[in-house]
Amino acid sequence: EDKVVQSPLSLVVHEGDTVTLNCSYEVTNFRSLLWYKQEKKAPTFLFMLTSSGIEKKSGRLSSILDKKELFSILNITATQTGDSAIYLCAVESQTGANNLFFGTGTRLTVIP
Amino acid sequence: NAGVMQNPRHLVRRRGQEARLRCSPMKGHSHVYWYRQLPEEGLKFMVYLQKENIIDESGMPKERFSAEFPKEGPSILRIQQVVRGDSAAYFCASSPQGRQKLFFGSGTQLSVL
């Protein structure tokens, strides 16, 4: 059964801390892994990863994929209160029309 | 270029009533997906549509739920005879060519009294 597991489920840090969010997966015929940030409502796209070992970076956020060990991490450095959100990991399979599987998310709270 | 538009943002229904949720995809996107999110749970796939066609409805309950994406107008997710367990946030997403990077709407929060 295809599944995506994120950890931790929730995390509380102080501004300026660095956090690492984890996403492990078991998906048939992996195609890509995506990270989304969900604030209040609409998930917004952060990264799409398809190749192992290549870091994607956007400002203070970065992510990397390990296709051998079947996981990805999302790093946020120098966290700010605006980083508080649910971070969703989704994995895309090459098979089937319904081929995007979401994890339950990690709820990050950054306190001043 | 407006994003994915969903309405209403909040919908309150009594048990047994019908709920209609609307989604207008981004301009140029012909692929629409509906997801349901319960508290403390991830997004669960419900249905995938292209214009006038249902591509995959494997995530949608067999009874009371239906979806359409007509040639003209928004995609509609319809829930008949709602029950309390239908209370959730319903998200619509669109993409230009199917899968990969999805653009999400702000969701409709359905509350069934």
Side-chain angles (χ1 to χ4, degrees):
Chain A
E1 182 184 332
D2 298 318
K3 63 180 179 180
V4 178
V5 179
Q6 291 187 246
S7 64
L9 290 181
S10 64
L11 191 57
V12 180
V13 300
H14 288 94
E15 269 192 317
D17 287 350
T18 293
V19 298
T20 299
L21 310 182
N22 303 292
C23 175
S24 63
Y25 62 90
E26 291 178 29
V27 171
T28 306
N29 295 327
F30 173 89
R31 172 181 276 175
S32 65
L33 184 144
L34 301 95
W35 284 96
Y36 285 86
K37 179 182 182 182
Q38 187 176 17
E39 297 174 272
K40 296 180 182 176
K41 282 299 179 186
T44 53
F45 174 82
L46 293 175
F47 298 112
M48 184 172 76
L49 302 138
T50 55
S51 302
S52 278
I54 297 175
E55 185 184 51
K56 291 282 184 91
K57 198 169 171 64
S58 175
R60 296 176 294 103
L61 277 68
S62 64
S63 183
I64 199 161
L65 173 67
D66 186 329
K67 288 167 72 174
K68 183 179 177 184
E69 300 298 330
L70 308 182
F71 77 91
S72 173
I73 59 172
L74 175 68
N75 275 322
I76 309 174
T77 59
T79 51
Q80 302 171 357
T81 54
D83 295 327
S84 297
I86 297 173
Y87 290 83
L88 296 168
C89 173
V91 176
E92 183 188 16
S93 160
Q94 297 187 50
T95 50
N98 169 28
N99 57 0
L100 192 63
F101 302 94
F102 280 86
T104 54
T106 293
R107 181 182 293 275
L108 174 65
T109 303
V110 182
I111 53 179
Chain B
N1 185 13
V4 178
M5 304 299 292
Q6 288 189 249
N7 68 82
R9 291 292 302 273
H10 301 276
L11 183 61
V12 180
R13 285 287 177 267
R14 296 189 182 281
R15 280 180 297 171
Q17 291 184 319
E18 178 179 288
R20 279 182 178 244
L21 289 63
R22 294 174 187 78
C23 169
S24 296
M26 284 184 71
K27 188 176 180 181
H29 288 193
S30 59
H31 299 251
V32 165
Y33 309 82
W34 285 93
Y35 288 84
R36 177 162 63 177
Q37 188 176 39
L38 294 168
E40 308 306 322
E41 291 189 16
L43 293 164
K44 301 290 186 189
F45 169 81
M46 297 183 74
V47 61
Y48 163 34
L49 310 105
Q50 284 182 265
K51 280 289 187 182
E52 300 184 271
N53 291 306
I54 296 175
I55 307 301
D56 183 348
E57 56 183 348
S58 59
M60 204 148 68
K62 294 287 188 287
E63 298 177 352
R64 303 188 297 107
F65 285 72
S66 62
E68 62 177 10
F69 188 15
K71 188 177 180 181
E72 300 291 337
S75 175
I76 307 286
L77 179 68
R78 182 182 177 206
I79 311 172
Q80 296 177 289
Q81 298 175 333
V82 295
V83 300
R84 289 224 173 99
D86 296 332
S87 297
Y90 290 84
F91 287 93
C92 169
S94 72
S95 71
Q97 294 179 349
R99 285 307 171 193
Q100 295 206 340
K101 186 176 172 181
L102 299 182
F103 294 83
F104 282 86
S106 297
T108 294
Q109 181 66 49
L110 172 65
S111 299
V112 180
L113 304 179

